[in-house]
Amino acid sequence: MSEPVRRLAEVRLIDVLQVGGKAANLGELLAAGMRVPDGVVLTADGAARPPDERAALLRDEVAGLGLGPFAVRSSGITEDGADQSHAGMYESILDVGADELAVATNRVLASATSARAEAYASGKNERMAVLVQRMIQPVAAGVALTADPISGDRHTCVIAAVRGTAESLVSGRAMGDEWSVQGGTAVARRQPEHAIGERQALAVADAARGIAAAHGKPQDVEWAIDADGSLWIIQARPMTALPPEVSWEPGAPGAYTRMIRLAEWFAEPPTPLFESWLLTIMEDRLDACLTEWIGQRAPRPFHVVVNGWYFYSINFLSGPAMLRNLPTMLWRLVRAPRRVAGLIPPLLRHSYPVFEREWREDLLPRYRAAVAAAEERVEVLEPAALPALVDELAVLAGNYFGSITALAGSAYKMELILARFYRRHLADAVGGSHLPLLAGLAPPTDPGRHAAVSLDWWHAPAHVATTPPLADAHARVVEARLAAEKSAFAALASSPRRLRAFRQLLGDAQHLVLVREEQVRELTLAWPVMRRAVLRIGEALAARGLVGQADDVFFLTRPEAMTALVVGRLDATADVAARRATREEQARLVPPMLIGRVNPMLKRMWAAFPRLLGAEPSESALVSGTPASPGRASGAVRVVRGPDQFESLQPGEILVAPLTAPAWTPLFTRAAAVVTDVGSAAAHASIIAREYGIPAVVGCGDATARLRDGMRVTVDGSTGNVEPS
């Protein structure tokens, strides 16, 4: 039998079966020269002795540590291991006096048999050691993670900090400050407590990285800083459930994003068939439309797929591309001045009517007619003729998206102009923001049987009849808008010229909001029939034994599917099962919003967009984004990633989603507020939330990863912040 009590400085990992994971790790840190509070360990054998004997053993050994106070913690045999950390499963008791050690030890040991601990260990009681350490009286404490738990980036150290002990942080009662440290740069992401400064954050990161380097794997390190400014390591354990380490380098020159145009429509990695077929055709047509209309030809590639995720090129905004396009754009300005005028904000109102008229009078009728004709043919055509049907509709869908880019883009630009006018001429006089002026315009209508969850045609349309806002609720939104208009008109009454400009601007902005939602609702009109054509191709391949089931076709590329359809052969590299599994793994990654080389000017412009729409910095926000629908609402978070989770959203909860599209509209009747990863002020979530009178914050980047089910938060749709409640 081993010694019943061991000095902490003497134990090593080899002793883990007696002293437990936590104590063994701390012993190794002491041996490596880390500053760890001195202590003793009641071993698993010692813990198995009668209570009176345990008390006597501890009393004798702890005498050398002084009078206390002490921290009494669990040190389970499998605790703080690489597979399970057991973090927070067992009780820790702080500020324990010498005469209270026996009672505290009994409580810690009893926690090993608690219901939550047994559930965690699949019903197996764990052998337990107890760690008694001299209590540090910290002025600040927290946790340092030597890899980003959201992105998996091993080059980023994430530090959480609170004033006093870290108990409130570890237990989840407090969120604390959050610092991100990369190399020698520390940036405060959230600072409600101002517990530590930049210099201390760098010191904590250095110590934590040293521990990770010694162990050869990312670490979860609890630390404390005392009144003398000394940094102490309270415990360290391997990080568990860490995302895989991946690179987000685009593999192509320039910069790419998830935040504009087609990229705003994806909540997950696109399937291979969609990316190589419909998406590629739509991008080609979008570029052709913009080249024809305004002379803006984008450099290729139009997109990249990195770790399965789609990123749209913003290289058309680069200096070289703009210089190359300048002669053509000037020529277009001479030939079709009203089209190109939309590039100049003050002239936007002269441009959008051209695009709206063409959409209503030409493109929309042609699109509807083509879809109706395809619906009559899709079930009778031979499989070999179906690709041509899909191509025909894909070209029209690309043209339609080009029209959306012009009109929805106009709506977004017009809102920016309105927001800037409001800040300059109205904010001081009447307060608030421009957002109420763009709400209460028309109750949302049913999105139709073609309502899309996202653009990827792998998803079947998810039509659920939309329940319009309650009449009195929508009436309150309308009333708030009318009151905001009245206040604005009154504030501008002394300047007739400015009042006329505002009325004109407001009318254009309100009109474009309605047009944008009406237009977007029809985009996926062709999706059900295209999806049916693709599935018929899959059925033909399955009948020949080339794929296992019809929907396997979504995991082939277009060239692979066409070769299989025409030649009757599928390359051995087209491993559908492997591609399905890879896509499922990649869907769990948290992609950044921007990748590649972004020039400083473009980066500053990108960062400024939320502020232009009224975003205000917050030191306590859990996530921040673009303010999209005004007001404040509190509730429990419900993360909804797709239609299979729609029913999980309960009335009064905060809907947190990668994005929303027309098929998501029914959820707005239950949500108290909406928060999304991607999207702009012209996004579906923004416009629909305004009509339902609920706050919305969009374009947060990683809200679905940072906010967890059940968290109590407050959403401020006027400032763009989501804060703990």
Side-chain angles (χ1 to χ4, degrees):
M1 182 171 291
S2 69
E3 298 174 65
V5 181
R6 301 276 302 275
R7 290 301 295 259
L8 182 59
E10 298 170 355
V11 303
R12 300 291 184 271
L13 286 174
I14 195 173
D15 304 311
V16 69
L17 294 180
Q18 276 297 318
V19 302
K22 186 179 297 179
N25 287 338
L26 289 175
E28 292 285 352
L29 293 176
L30 274 168
M34 293 287 178
R35 190 188 293 268
V36 176
D38 198 7
V40 299
V41 186
L42 179 69
T43 66
D45 285 343
R49 297 191 181 190
D52 290 346
E53 189 175 343
R54 290 199 304 259
L57 287 167
L58 280 175
R59 187 171 53 250
D60 293 342
E61 292 294 334
V62 169
L65 299 178
L67 298 176
F70 302 100
V72 182
R73 292 187 170 94
S74 65
S75 186
I77 301 308
T78 62
E79 193 173 358
D80 289 358
D83 298 322
Q84 291 182 325
S85 71
H86 289 71
M89 282 293 161
Y90 305 133
E91 193 158 6
S92 293
I93 306 173
L94 307 181
D95 290 312
V96 177
D99 57 345
E100 300 170 317
L101 280 175
V103 173
T105 301
N106 292 342
R107 281 177 57 188
V108 170
L109 289 171
S111 70
T113 58
S114 68
R116 62 178 180 155
E118 287 188 27
Y120 192 90
S122 301
K124 297 178 181 178
N125 291 337
E126 180 180 22
R127 277 163 52 82
M128 175 75 73
V130 178
L131 176 61
V132 179
Q133 290 176 279
R134 185 167 56 81
M135 182 73 190
I136 300 299
Q137 300 298 330
V139 295
V143 174
L145 305 175
T146 63
D148 189 322
I150 302 297
S151 68
D153 181 9
R154 271 61 168 177
H155 302 290
T156 298
C157 184
V158 178
I159 298 169
V162 292
R163 293 181 179 274
T165 71
E167 200 61 25
S168 62
L169 188 68
V170 174
S171 67
R173 296 194 308 274
M175 300 302 297
D177 303 341
E178 182 174 299
W179 288 79
S180 175
V181 182
Q182 292 182 314
T185 303
V187 176
R189 190 175 187 275
R190 184 177 67 242
Q191 274 191 293
E193 300 201 18
H194 289 271
I196 61 174
E198 180 182 359
R199 180 181 57 80
Q200 292 168 313
L202 290 170
V204 170
D206 285 344
R209 287 167 175 159
I211 295 169
H215 285 80
K217 60 184 67 174
Q219 296 286 301
D220 174 342
V221 179
E222 188 177 333
W223 55 270
I225 296 174
D226 65 20
D228 295 331
S230 298
L231 173 62
W232 297 84
I233 302 302
I234 306 303
Q235 67 185 67
R237 53 178 168 254
M239 291 183 68
T240 57
L242 188 63
E245 186 172 17
V246 296
S247 168
W248 292 100
E249 287 298 317
Y256 303 82
T257 183
R258 295 175 57 219
M259 286 296 286
I260 65 170
R261 295 183 178 172
L262 288 157
E264 278 191 284
W265 286 78
F266 296 104
E268 58 194 351
T271 53
L273 190 69
F274 174 72
E275 187 265 332
S276 61
W277 193 345
L278 178 55
L279 194 51
T280 296
I281 291 176
M282 289 182 70
E283 286 178 340
D284 286 342
R285 291 308 308 157
L286 173 60
D287 184 63
C289 288
L290 294 175
T291 301
E292 177 187 345
W293 294 338
I294 61 175
Q296 186 189 74
R297 180 178 294 280
R300 292 179 181 268
F302 298 142
H303 78 267
V304 293
V305 173
V306 184
N307 300 314
W309 287 83
Y310 174 89
F311 294 84
Y312 188 80
S313 170
I314 52 176
N315 295 321
F316 63 91
L317 294 173
S318 68
M322 295 178 77
L323 284 174
R324 282 195 301 270
N325 286 331
L326 186 59
T328 308
M329 295 175 78
L330 291 174
W331 176 243
R332 291 286 190 276
L333 182 60
V334 173
R335 294 288 301 275
R338 294 190 67 187
R339 289 182 183 277
V340 186
L343 295 174
I344 306 169
L347 302 179
L348 182 62
R349 65 179 307 270
H350 301 292
S351 173
Y352 80 78
V354 176
F355 293 106
E356 182 180 354
R357 184 174 61 253
E358 291 179 350
W359 165 63
R360 290 192 186 280
E361 297 177 3
D362 176 44
L363 180 55
L364 181 57
R366 282 194 295 117
Y367 190 33
R368 286 173 171 170
V371 171
E375 288 173 338
E376 293 180 357
R377 299 158 54 207
V378 68
E379 297 294 351
V380 298
L381 288 174
E382 292 296 319
L386 290 169
L389 180 146
V390 174
D391 286 344
E392 176 189 352
L393 294 176
V395 167
L396 280 170
N399 292 342
Y400 196 98
F401 195 84
S403 179
I404 285 177
T405 300
L407 273 176
S410 296
Y412 181 65
K413 293 171 188 173
M414 194 67 78
E415 180 164 348
L416 286 173
I417 297 169
L418 178 65
R420 183 168 61 245
F421 185 102
Y422 196 97
R423 285 198 314 277
R424 288 180 177 176
H425 306 300
L426 290 167
D428 290 341
V430 298
S433 77
H434 73 287
L435 289 171
L437 296 167
L438 299 180
L441 299 172
T445 57
D446 194 307
R449 63 183 180 83
H450 57 273
V453 175
S454 76
L455 283 191
D456 196 324
W457 55 18
W458 183 53
H459 290 288
H463 175 235
V464 179
T466 295
T467 302
L470 295 174
D472 58 343
H474 196 257
R476 286 194 294 272
V477 179
V478 174
E479 184 180 353
R481 172 176 58 79
L482 295 175
E485 290 177 2
K486 183 178 180 180
S487 296
F489 297 155
L492 297 171
S494 61
S495 175
R497 180 183 60 81
R498 189 170 289 165
L499 177 58
R500 283 195 303 273
F502 175 71
R503 286 183 178 276
Q504 190 174 73
L505 172 58
L506 180 62
D508 286 333
Q510 291 177 341
H511 174 74
L512 281 170
V513 166
L514 295 172
V515 170
R516 189 268 175 202
E517 195 58 28
E518 180 186 357
Q519 188 186 36
V520 166
R521 193 166 56 242
E522 300 288 318
L523 169 62
T524 56
L525 194 66
W527 264 241
V529 67
M530 284 196 290
R531 187 174 191 274
R532 178 58 192 143
V534 169
L535 282 173
R536 281 203 62 211
I537 293 171
E539 290 166 1
L541 300 185
R544 301 177 194 176
L546 297 174
V547 295
Q549 56 195 42
D551 70 351
D552 283 346
V553 71
F554 294 114
F555 291 86
L556 303 179
T557 65
R558 187 182 193 279
E560 289 170 343
M562 295 304 98
T563 299
L565 186 63
V566 174
V567 181
R569 185 178 68 252
L570 193 60
D571 192 280
T573 59
D575 189 334
V576 168
R579 289 177 182 177
R580 282 183 182 269
T582 297
R583 182 176 180 275
E584 190 173 325
E585 292 173 3
Q586 291 173 331
R588 291 193 286 267
L589 298 174
V590 182
M593 303 310 292
L594 277 170
I595 62 172
R597 292 192 175 184
V598 186
N599 68 62
M601 183 190 72
L602 187 58
K603 189 175 291 187
R604 285 194 299 271
M605 182 180 73
W606 212 259
F609 282 143
R611 293 196 299 274
L612 292 174
L613 291 164
E616 298 177 8
S618 168
E619 292 189 330
S620 57
L622 300 172
V623 295
S624 298
T626 297
S629 181
R632 287 170 60 89
S634 300
V637 165
R638 179 67 62 185
V639 178
V640 177
R641 298 182 183 278
D644 58 321
Q645 298 175 332
F646 280 6
E647 292 305 313
S648 68
L649 180 70
Q650 301 302 306
E653 290 185 328
I654 307 298
L655 170 61
V656 179
L659 54 78
T660 72
W664 296 67
T665 302
L667 274 65
F668 287 67
T669 62
R670 285 176 264 157
V674 179
V675 181
T676 66
D677 287 342
V678 298
S680 66
H684 172 269
S686 307
I687 293 171
I688 300 301
R690 292 171 187 176
E691 294 306 318
Y692 279 96
I694 60 176
V697 178
V698 301
C700 297
D702 54 7
T704 54
R706 292 189 176 275
L707 304 178
R708 300 182 302 278
D709 284 350
M711 290 176 69
R712 302 284 309 180
V713 301
T714 296
V715 179
D716 190 330
S718 301
T719 65
N721 295 308
V722 181
E723 310 200 21
S725 293

